[in-house]
Amino acid sequence: MIRFLWYFKFVPYGVVFLPLWIWYGLVVSGVIVGIVRWTRSKEQRQEDVYIYQFKSMIISASLQFLVFLTELLIAINIDTQDTIPWSVVFVPMYILSIVSIPTCIW
């Protein structure tokens, strides 16, 4: 078992987080499609239901960006020799926890 884990010692943590980063790429592409659709449809911009859906999409994407930023800082902190303090690495999560409360109420 230890010999098996030794082979993974040289794999950068960016590879470990790659499936999650692909997921965030899909989120960004979905937001871009949503923004383009929103700007081209005049009927949707006039109805309240679609306005709330557009705002919730933007809020959700910003929350996803904070999680992505945290994961990126974790991967950088683990891979590099110059370590960033963990309290700085988790600042996006602190912001996320504060922003999530009004987001859930909204």
Side-chain angles (χ1 to χ4, degrees):
M1 181 67 178
I2 294 175
R3 183 182 298 180
F4 176 73
L5 292 176
W6 182 82
Y7 293 117
F8 289 106
K9 181 179 181 181
F10 303 107
V11 175
Y13 278 94
V15 174
V16 174
F17 288 110
L18 188 63
L20 293 172
W21 293 343
I22 291 171
W23 171 255
Y24 293 126
L26 291 173
V27 169
V28 168
S29 65
V31 169
I32 290 171
V33 167
I35 290 172
V36 169
R37 175 76 172 116
W38 173 260
T39 56
R40 290 190 178 187
S41 175
K42 186 176 182 179
E43 300 86 25
Q44 288 184 353
R45 285 183 278 162
Q46 295 174 350
E47 295 185 28
D48 288 339
V49 175
Y50 295 115
I51 291 172
Y52 290 127
Q53 288 179 357
F54 180 74
K55 288 180 182 177
S56 65
M57 179 189 69
I58 297 298
I59 290 170
S60 176
S62 64
L63 296 178
Q64 289 286 326
F65 175 73
L66 288 172
V67 175
F68 168 73
L69 189 59
T70 303
E71 292 171 0
L72 183 64
L73 288 172
I74 288 171
I76 290 171
N77 198 20
I78 292 174
D79 272 342
T80 61
Q81 297 296 331
D82 300 326
T83 59
I84 306 168
W86 286 104
S87 59
V88 174
V89 169
F90 286 106
V91 164
M93 280 303 213
Y94 301 145
I95 295 170
L96 180 70
S97 64
I98 293 169
V99 173
S100 293
I101 295 170
T103 302
C104 289
I105 293 173
W106 180 71

